[in-house]
Amino acid sequence: MRFWLRNEEMALEEMVQRLNAVSKNTDEIMHQDIVPLCAADIQEQLKKRFAYLSGGRGQDGSPVITFPDYPAFSEIPDKEFQNVMTYLTSIPSLQDAGIGFILVIDRRQDKWTSVKASVLRIAASFPANLQLVLVLRPTGFFQRTLSDIAFKFNRDDFKMKVPVMMLSSVPELHGYIDKSQLTEDLGGTLDYCHSRWLCQRTAIESFALMVKQTAQMLQTFGTELAETELPNDVQSTSLVLSVHTEKKAKAKEDLHLALKEGNSILESLREPLAESTSHSVNQDQLDNQATVQRLLAQLNETEAAFDEFWAKHQQKLEQCLQLRHFEQGFREVKTTLDSMSQKIAAFTDVGNSLAHVQHLLKDLTSFEEKSSVAVDRARALSLEGQQLIENKHYAVDSIHPKCEELQHLSDHFATEITRRRGLLSKSLELHSLLEMSMKWCDEGIFLLASQPVDKCQSQDGAEAALQEIEKFLETGAENKIQELNKIYKEYECILNQDLLEHVQKVFQKQESTEEMFHRRQASLKKLAARQTRPVQPVAPRPEALSKSPSPSPGSWRSSENSSSESSVLRRGPYRRAKSEMSETRQGRTSSTGDEEESLAILRRHVMNELLDTERAYVEELLCVLEGYAAEMDNPLMAHLISTGLQNKKSILFGNMEEIYHFHNRIFLRELESCIDCPELVGRCFLERMEEFQIYEKYCQNKPRSESLWRQCSDCPFFQECQKKLDHKLSLDSYLLKPVQRITKYQLLLKEMLKYSKNCEGAEDLQEALSSILGILKAVNDSMHLIAITGYDGNLSDLGKLLMQGSFSVWTDHKKGHTKVKELARFKPMQRHLFLHEKAVLFCKKREENGEGYEKAPSYSYKQSLNMTAVGITENVKGDAKKFEIWYNAREEVYIVQAPTPEIKAAWVNEIRKVLTSQLQACREASQHRALEQSHSLPLPTPSSTSPTKGNTRNVKKLEDRKTDPLSLEGYVSSSLPKPPEKGKGWSKTSHSLEAPEEDGGWSSAEELVNSSDAEEDGGVGPKKLVPGKYTVVMDDEKEGPDTLAMRSGDMVEVVEEGAEGLWYVRDLTSSKEGWVSASSLSTLLGKSSSAQCLSSSDSSPGSAVLSNSSSCSEGCPTPFSELQG
């Protein structure tokens, strides 16, 4: 490092010296060191042209300065005159100026007095050496005569160091100076333009100043670069290198501009010669070209000096950047290798079973594969450091130790992996031996248990069994543990306390098995050696043992630990798929007007929002899966997971992984393909509607997930994961993301549709929106459906859920044995109805206390109506929100009041669709059956019973019946007088009635099973017993061994009607049960009504309309009182 700094100081010093020399040489070239005067400084004075340097030379090379006829010569200030003389005499080279100047003073148009004054002024103020002064005196006769006389008399006044020659004409002048060195106004041929000369002089001097300033600027810049301190990190070093490179580029640009300027000036000086080869170039022009060339040479020298310095400085910065990259990589790799070494050192488990060891070996292999990236990087970084050393990097002393440390860490880690693999291989070998021993023991026990004891009583049977045992014992040499001490010695490196105990248990089992074989062998040998009278021995039956071998200690150990063992050093199976994010491009612009352009911009805005939120959503899902779900399988985090959270990953996260793969691999890419045509995005949704059904599964699992989260939200595992991910929100916020996302799509589709009314994909967008809303409805319905409790059957058997909602319900049952109107004009029941394709369910909504999903309501199942026997009356007088659902030809009528007329209309329409489709199916089936049975005997008309409510076993039978429009096949109760099954209701026989369908009524079982409103008011009839609870009004005098004795005031329950006029009755007071004749029961109960029913206001006096306290379903144990309350 110090060596490098010395080198840079030397390079800077060398550059400074060279650039100082350039500045000095520039001054010398322009004579600035002698006369620091430039044409630009006295440009106005030079423009007066009272004296000029034409470039002509005398015979001995003396420069010629011409003083042309200038009437106002006497008026020129002395300072201006002195500046012009000084500047003109500084232009020729020092060699030419040393010879002396020739002055040509043209006063042919002047007076003698002016001539005298001019000569005296020039002689007194000329700053350089003079060789000859030639004066063209006035040409007028008088003035010429006067000048001759005056010059003779005043000769002493013109005494100068050089001779002054008074010339009368131009030809005399040619005698002293050649015509080619004189300008045209002096009769010469020298081409001279004063303004051109002045421009050239200004340009040359400006270029010389530029060369000098450039050298000084580069000198200052070089000093600044050399004094810059080297940063200690990659980012700062890169920034310094970038800034210095930009400044260097700017300096080089200025340098090239100066070079360009110099070459342009040189080209302009050479232009006259290039235009005409015959053109003669005077000495001053040649001197100007030489001056520019020398200045260009100095500029090139400046560039060379700076380039040499920059190369060294750039190399220093690049090497510094390489060093910072190397140091940063070293820190990262060292941290990774240290962490991996700590992990591999922390895992000392050698396994407790063969499967466990195999799992550990698999995890070790996986860990080694993942860590190979870090190891390979460490080795590559070490080679990179060696390459830097070979390239004579200035920081060799810092790089070399780090390379050695990287090599050491890599070798140490590889050694640890090899050692760990060796231990696990030894453990695998030992556990394989133990497994074989246990398997041998189990097979032996199975063999002993499966030998038939009775057959062994014969000599032949005993010999056969003995041969089986001896043959089996021969296999022990390969499968048994031979010497326990040898095992201890060979596997000492892996034998911990648990494994040692396991080996001892296996060996003990092996010895016990061998002892059993030896005892059996001894017994069989005795039986084979002597044949005694057959005795039937009593032996334990081997069936239990023969079904499955007894579990070995190892298998128990494995099963006990299988739930707690996790994969070693395993990361989750998820990988951050860096999907390429396309840069947003402008959409298609409309060709018609500003409005269409605005809509296109709005569509692109919505599409950008859809894509941005989709990418963020995918990233969030991946973050949750990798940062939480995968970590639940990480053995390093196992100690942080509470007991209630173990093995609950599928409950907590549901099918989030499936959702992530769908969006990452499929849907996001398809959305990105629509970035240029946002209005066509609806097709993406339509093509993937089936895949969106995965959200229904996720939402159905959400209550379980949220309940588990509330129980375990304070688990340290979640806090550690959140800390690693640097999340501000807890996991439950991210578990809600899929629910929020599926609802977000419909909002974005609505926005897109609003701006795409007249576009190509408008219909697809509308259809996609409807489909997404349908999915949301299905998800919402499914959330209600899973909250149903008490339903014994499988809800999926009822077909697709079409609608669900809460209603007020009145019942009006009028047919069959019941002949009741229950609460038809009183307080309604609040019921939540679920309309399926095959049935409609009545449930009671129960609000739950709690938070989140636990606060969601549950639904207690009450009863169901099979759609094959359902009809509807769309309009009920007096209320536009009511409609009727009637069952089995109006035997049961349910008056339903919707919250709004719109909801009622939706339900009526949906029920009508179901009934219409079923009616069509019945007609088609009837026609098909009529064709098949056209040559068979006519079928007898079967009886029909009331469809049972709440019993899903009857659904299939009812579906079979619906194909026959002529009859409904019922269920007839058994005529045998045996007690009904506990918890089941009663059944009765009824026949289908033929009545025209009322206007506004709908049913799917044809007109023959419908009923009108003709029996709206219940008539007077004989009182019939119905199941229910009653109060006994008189004592039973008949007591026998088979009859039930009852007392006045007892509460009894009439359960079921049997055969031969008997009813099965349960005395709720004495808890006794028995059969009672119908006549006796009617006498005992008198006019008592059911304890849980009301009399109809329309019934005749003295008659009570009874309603059973349970539903008319055989499988619905729920009393009707619960349905009401």
Side-chain angles (χ1 to χ4, degrees):
M1 185 72 175
R2 294 176 179 174
F3 172 75
W4 171 261
L5 291 175
R6 287 197 301 270
N7 279 353
E8 187 175 29
E9 289 175 358
M10 293 173 61
L12 176 63
E13 184 178 352
E14 179 182 353
M15 184 192 73
V16 170
Q17 290 177 354
R18 294 173 67 178
L19 294 181
N20 283 334
V22 168
S23 299
K24 185 177 180 180
N25 292 338
T26 302
D27 289 339
E28 291 179 355
I29 291 171
M30 300 304 297
H31 301 161
Q32 295 291 322
D33 54 336
I34 302 174
V35 182
L37 198 61
C38 297
D41 299 334
I42 57 172
Q43 187 172 8
E44 294 300 323
Q45 302 166 20
L46 292 173
K47 284 182 179 180
K48 294 180 180 180
R49 200 172 174 267
F50 60 83
Y52 61 86
L53 190 66
S54 63
R57 292 290 187 270
Q59 295 178 356
D60 54 357
S62 300
V64 176
I65 296 178
T66 304
F67 290 86
D69 185 24
Y70 191 78
F73 185 79
S74 60
E75 298 175 1
I76 298 173
D78 292 340
K79 182 64 176 176
E80 292 184 8
F81 183 79
Q82 186 67 38
N83 288 340
V84 171
M85 292 296 102
T86 302
Y87 178 73
L88 292 179
T89 55
S90 66
I91 293 176
S93 65
L94 296 178
Q95 181 180 355
D96 292 345
I99 300 174
F101 287 86
I102 296 177
L103 303 183
V104 177
I105 303 173
D106 184 8
R107 290 294 179 267
R108 287 176 292 176
Q109 303 298 326
D110 212 344
K111 298 179 180 178
W112 165 248
T113 56
S114 298
V115 172
K116 179 180 178 183
S118 298
V119 172
L120 293 176
R121 185 175 187 180
I122 293 171
S125 304
F126 197 78
N129 296 331
L130 283 173
Q131 185 184 36
L132 180 64
V133 176
L134 299 177
V135 180
L136 285 174
R137 58 187 178 181
T139 56
F141 176 78
F142 177 76
Q143 293 296 332
R144 185 174 56 185
T145 304
L146 182 60
S147 62
D148 288 341
I149 298 170
F151 184 73
K152 291 179 181 179
F153 287 100
N154 298 292
R155 185 178 297 272
D156 293 339
D157 295 338
F158 296 100
K159 286 184 178 180
M160 302 174 67
K161 296 180 181 180
V162 293
V164 177
M165 305 300 297
M166 288 291 180
L167 304 178
S168 300
S169 61
V170 171
E172 291 183 31
L173 178 61
H174 294 166
Y176 294 93
I177 301 174
D178 190 78
K179 292 173 59 177
S180 62
Q181 301 300 317
L182 293 173
T183 58
E184 292 180 355
D185 57 345
L186 295 177
T189 59
L190 182 63
D191 182 24
Y192 173 76
C193 176
H194 187 69
S195 59
R196 183 178 62 191
W197 173 87
L198 185 59
C199 289
Q200 289 178 351
R201 289 302 304 176
T202 303
I204 292 172
E205 291 172 359
S206 175
F207 175 58
L209 181 62
M210 183 183 295
V211 171
K212 184 176 181 180
Q213 290 176 346
T214 301
Q216 293 173 348
M217 179 269 295
L218 292 179
Q219 180 179 345
T220 304
F221 179 51
T223 304
E224 177 188 345
L225 296 183
E227 293 176 352
T228 302
E229 294 185 2
L230 297 179
N232 293 323
D233 59 278
V234 173
Q235 185 176 3
S236 300
T237 306
S238 300
L239 181 62
V240 168
L241 180 58
S242 175
V243 171
H244 285 192
T245 303
E246 290 179 1
K247 289 184 177 180
K248 175 255 181 182
K250 180 65 172 61
K252 290 284 287 185
E253 183 179 353
D254 294 341
L255 189 64
H256 291 157
L257 287 176
L259 285 170
K260 183 178 180 181
E261 180 69 18
N263 288 321
S264 175
I265 294 173
L266 185 61
E267 187 68 23
S268 65
L269 292 175
R270 293 174 177 175
E271 186 177 354
L273 185 62
E275 292 177 355
S276 175
T277 54
S278 60
H279 181 78
S280 60
V281 181
N282 59 49
Q283 188 61 40
D284 280 357
Q285 292 175 335
L286 292 176
D287 289 345
N288 288 341
Q289 293 181 16
T291 298
V292 174
Q293 288 174 346
R294 290 176 64 188
L295 291 173
L296 287 173
Q298 294 301 312
L299 202 56
N300 290 329
E301 170 64 15
T302 300
E303 183 178 17
F306 177 74
D307 287 344
E308 185 176 342
F309 169 78
W310 170 255
K312 294 179 180 179
H313 179 73
Q314 185 182 28
Q315 182 184 8
K316 180 192 72 171
L317 289 180
E318 290 176 348
Q319 288 188 353
C320 179
L321 184 60
Q322 291 171 350
L323 177 63
R324 300 298 177 250
H325 277 296
F326 177 79
E327 291 173 344
Q328 179 177 330
F330 171 78
R331 289 191 296 269
E332 293 174 356
V333 170
K334 186 177 184 302
T335 301
T336 304
L337 289 179
D338 288 343
S339 175
M340 292 191 304
S341 297
Q342 291 175 2
K343 290 179 182 179
I344 199 66
F347 285 95
T348 57
D349 192 1
V350 292
N352 54 19
S353 67
L354 181 63
H356 188 202
V357 176
Q358 290 173 340
H359 187 65
L360 291 177
L361 277 170
K362 182 179 179 182
D363 287 341
L364 180 64
T365 302
S366 176
F367 176 70
E368 185 178 11
E369 290 176 355
K370 292 178 180 178
S371 60
S372 63
V373 177
V375 175
D376 293 343
R377 187 183 176 193
R379 299 189 188 280
L381 196 61
S382 178
L383 292 176
E384 182 181 336
Q386 294 294 338
Q387 188 67 36
L388 291 177
I389 294 174
E390 293 177 3
N391 292 338
K392 298 181 180 179
H393 196 283
Y394 68 83
V396 174
D397 296 341
S398 174
I399 297 174
H400 185 69
K402 291 182 174 61
C403 291
E404 291 183 345
E405 187 173 357
L406 286 173
Q407 193 65 38
H408 171 72
L409 289 173
S410 302
D411 295 342
H412 175 70
F413 180 75
T415 302
E416 285 296 310
I417 288 286
T418 304
R419 186 185 68 82
R420 175 70 179 158
R421 187 180 298 280
L423 292 176
L424 290 178
S425 299
K426 281 298 239 183
S427 179
L428 182 67
E429 184 180 332
L430 176 59
H431 280 289
S432 299
L433 182 59
L434 296 177
E435 288 286 339
M436 287 191 297
S437 177
M438 289 187 293
K439 183 178 180 182
W440 182 81
C441 293
D442 293 338
E443 290 175 353
I445 295 172
F446 180 76
L447 175 62
L448 293 177
S450 61
Q451 284 184 338
V453 179
D454 54 347
K455 292 183 180 180
C456 294
Q457 303 305 309
S458 65
Q459 185 176 5
D460 292 340
E463 289 178 352
L466 192 58
Q467 289 178 0
E468 284 183 349
I469 290 175
E470 290 175 350
K471 184 177 181 181
F472 178 78
L473 290 175
E474 291 176 358
T475 62
E478 300 175 356
N479 300 320
K480 292 193 306 181
I481 300 175
Q482 302 300 335
E483 299 180 19
L484 197 58
N485 291 331
K486 184 178 179 181
I487 293 294
Y488 291 160
K489 184 177 181 180
E490 184 175 354
Y491 298 101
E492 181 181 5
C493 58
I494 61 171
L495 282 177
N496 53 31
Q497 186 64 33
D498 292 339
L499 191 52
L500 184 61
E501 292 176 0
H502 184 39
V503 172
Q504 291 172 350
K505 289 180 180 180
V506 173
F507 190 73
Q508 290 173 3
K509 181 178 181 179
Q510 180 180 299
E511 288 182 332
S512 300
T513 305
E514 289 177 333
E515 185 178 353
M516 293 169 59
F517 271 98
H518 292 326
R519 288 199 301 265
R520 179 67 64 88
Q521 273 184 314
S523 300
L524 291 176
K525 285 179 180 178
K526 291 179 181 179
L527 292 173
R530 58 186 178 87
Q531 182 65 31
T532 60
R533 181 172 60 86
V535 178
Q536 181 65 38
V538 179
R541 298 184 64 184
E543 284 80 3
L545 292 174
S546 63
K547 290 180 180 178
S548 63
S550 61
S552 61
S555 62
W556 283 108
R557 286 156 52 83
S558 176
S559 64
E560 290 172 357
N561 290 282
S562 62
S563 63
S564 61
E565 286 294 326
S566 301
S567 58
V568 178
L569 305 176
R570 182 172 62 186
R571 292 294 298 170
Y574 315 105
R575 178 181 57 183
R576 191 180 300 274
K578 295 282 186 182
S579 43
E580 292 183 320
M581 300 301 177
S582 310
E583 293 184 0
T584 305
R585 297 169 293 179
Q586 293 186 353
R588 299 175 300 170
T589 55
S590 175
S591 58
T592 57
D594 295 337
E595 182 179 358
E596 192 61 31
E597 178 67 18
S598 300
L599 290 176
I601 293 174
L602 292 171
R603 288 195 296 271
R604 287 197 296 272
H605 176 75
V606 176
M607 190 64 197
N608 290 339
E609 182 180 359
L610 176 59
L611 275 174
D612 292 342
T613 54
E614 185 72 8
R615 291 166 183 150
Y617 175 57
V618 170
E619 288 292 325
E620 288 171 343
L621 290 182
L622 180 62
C623 191
V624 171
L625 292 173
E626 287 189 343
Y628 286 96
E631 288 298 307
M632 291 186 73
D633 296 329
N634 185 358
L636 297 177
M637 303 286 285
H639 65 285
L640 299 176
I641 300 177
S642 61
T643 306
L645 192 60
Q646 290 179 357
N647 302 321
K648 299 289 181 64
K649 184 170 76 172
S650 59
I651 296 177
L652 186 61
F653 298 97
N655 62 331
M656 181 180 283
E657 182 181 357
E658 183 182 5
I659 293 174
Y660 165 75
H661 287 312
F662 163 65
H663 284 272
N664 182 53
R665 297 174 180 173
I666 301 173
F667 195 62
L668 176 58
R669 298 181 183 181
E670 291 182 354
L671 289 180
E672 289 175 340
S673 66
C674 296
I675 192 171
D676 290 330
C677 302
E679 61 273 14
L680 303 181
V681 75
R683 297 178 185 174
C684 296
F685 286 88
L686 291 177
E687 292 172 358
R688 297 299 172 187
M689 275 303 154
E690 187 175 353
E691 284 85 344
F692 275 105
Q693 303 298 327
I694 57 180
Y695 279 91
E696 185 172 346
K697 180 179 178 182
Y698 184 86
C699 292
Q700 288 177 352
N701 179 70
K702 195 69 177 69
R704 299 173 63 203
S705 172
E706 192 147 311
S707 177
L708 178 62
W709 166 256
R710 272 190 295 276
Q711 297 172 18
C712 306
S713 59
D714 57 348
C715 179
F717 170 78
F718 294 122
Q719 299 172 6
E720 182 65 20
C721 291
Q722 184 177 351
K723 182 179 178 182
K724 287 183 178 179
L725 294 172
D726 197 23
H727 280 179
K728 295 181 179 179
L729 300 176
S730 55
L731 175 61
D732 59 325
S733 300
Y734 291 91
L735 293 177
L736 197 60
K737 293 292 183 181
V739 181
Q740 295 171 336
R741 188 59 184 169
I742 191 64
T743 56
K744 177 73 172 177
Y745 285 132
Q746 57 101 3
L747 299 176
L748 293 171
L749 285 174
K750 284 180 181 177
E751 286 294 306
M752 184 65 77
L753 182 60
K754 184 167 68 174
Y755 306 132
S756 309
K757 293 295 184 182
N758 300 322
C759 295
E760 177 185 353
E763 294 182 1
D764 289 340
L765 285 170
Q766 182 62 58
E767 187 177 354
L769 176 60
S770 301
S771 300
I772 285 291
L773 292 175
I775 288 177
L776 291 176
K777 178 182 179 300
V779 169
N780 183 56
D781 291 345
S782 69
M783 296 296 290
H784 289 274
L785 201 59
I786 63 174
I788 296 177
T789 59
Y791 185 76
D792 295 334
N794 189 350
L795 290 172
S796 61
D797 294 339
L798 302 182
K800 180 181 178 182
L801 177 62
L802 302 175
M803 302 189 77
Q804 55 84 24
S806 295
F807 300 86
S808 298
V809 178
W810 292 263
T811 59
D812 189 2
H813 296 181
K814 297 176 293 187
K815 301 200 72 75
H817 294 288
T818 56
K819 202 66 176 179
V820 279
K821 284 188 174 181
E822 290 188 54
L823 303 178
R825 297 176 177 83
F826 295 88
K827 182 179 179 180
M829 299 173 290
Q830 299 302 317
R831 292 291 179 261
H832 201 89
L833 273 59
F834 294 85
L835 177 62
H836 292 261
E837 292 175 325
K838 297 181 181 180
V840 56
L841 271 61
F842 288 75
C843 299
K844 184 173 182 179
K845 186 175 181 181
R846 301 188 186 278
E847 297 289 346
E848 299 290 343
N849 296 324
E851 297 179 358
Y853 281 93
E854 284 189 352
K855 194 176 180 181
S858 64
Y859 304 98
S860 298
Y861 168 76
K862 294 301 179 183
Q863 65 184 121
S864 63
L865 304 178
N866 195 296
M867 293 302 294
T868 56
V870 163
I872 59 170
T873 303
E874 296 185 9
N875 298 311
V876 176
K877 296 178 181 179
D879 195 338
K881 297 183 290 185
K882 289 183 179 178
F883 65 99
E884 288 183 348
I885 299 178
W886 40 271
Y887 192 68
N888 199 24
R890 299 191 67 85
E891 182 174 319
E892 299 167 15
V893 179
Y894 301 87
I895 302 173
V896 182
Q897 184 182 47
T900 63
E902 291 77 14
I903 295 178
K904 169 205 165 180
W907 273 74
V908 168
N909 290 336
E910 198 64 35
I911 295 174
R912 186 192 299 120
K913 290 179 184 178
V914 175
L915 298 181
T916 303
S917 63
Q918 290 183 350
L919 179 61
Q920 183 64 29
C922 287
R923 288 173 177 169
E924 291 175 0
S926 177
Q927 294 173 2
H928 180 68
R929 186 168 61 255
L931 291 175
E932 291 181 345
Q933 298 178 353
S934 59
H935 299 290
S936 64
L937 294 175
L939 295 174
T941 304
S943 60
S944 174
T945 64
S946 173
T948 60
K949 296 173 284 184
N951 187 356
T952 57
R953 293 179 297 174
N954 296 336
V955 173
K956 188 176 188 303
K957 296 180 181 179
L958 290 172
E959 288 178 355
D960 295 338
R961 296 203 318 262
K962 76 177 181 180
T963 60
D964 188 356
L966 302 178
S967 65
L968 293 173
E969 187 176 359
Y971 295 87
V972 182
S973 62
S974 174
S975 61
L976 296 177
K978 68 177 183 178
E981 297 182 19
K982 186 176 181 180
K984 296 197 175 182
W986 67 298
S987 63
K988 61 181 181 177
T989 303
S990 63
H991 300 277
S992 59
L993 302 176
E994 296 185 10
E997 182 175 338
E998 179 182 302
D999 183 33
W1002 283 79
S1003 174
S1004 63
E1006 296 282 353
E1007 292 81 353
L1008 296 178
V1009 298
N1010 296 338
S1011 85
S1012 65
D1013 294 332
E1015 300 184 19
E1016 181 175 345
D1017 297 327
V1020 177
K1023 173 183 172 181
K1024 293 183 180 180
L1025 288 172
V1026 295
K1029 293 179 182 179
Y1030 301 88
T1031 302
V1032 178
V1033 296
M1034 61 183 296
D1035 294 339
D1036 185 8
E1037 301 295 338
K1038 297 179 182 180
E1039 293 188 6
D1042 297 329
T1043 59
L1044 177 65
M1046 293 179 287
R1047 295 289 181 267
S1048 177
D1050 286 354
M1051 179 67 72
V1052 296
E1053 181 180 3
V1054 179
V1055 181
E1056 182 181 8
E1057 181 182 9
E1060 300 176 358
L1062 296 179
W1063 282 81
Y1064 192 79
V1065 179
R1066 182 181 297 113
D1067 190 337
L1068 301 178
T1069 304
S1070 62
S1071 300
K1072 294 181 180 180
E1073 300 178 354
W1075 292 95
V1076 181
S1077 64
S1079 58
S1080 300
L1081 190 59
S1082 299
T1083 303
L1084 292 171
L1085 300 181
K1087 296 183 179 180
S1088 172
S1089 62
S1090 174
Q1092 298 178 352
C1093 66
L1094 297 174
S1095 297
S1096 172
S1097 61
D1098 295 337
S1099 300
S1100 61
S1103 66
V1105 181
L1106 305 179
S1107 173
N1108 58 333
S1109 60
S1110 64
S1111 70
C1112 298
S1113 167
E1114 180 187 45
C1116 181
T1118 308
F1120 215 86
S1121 59
E1122 291 186 21
L1123 181 62
Q1124 295 169 350

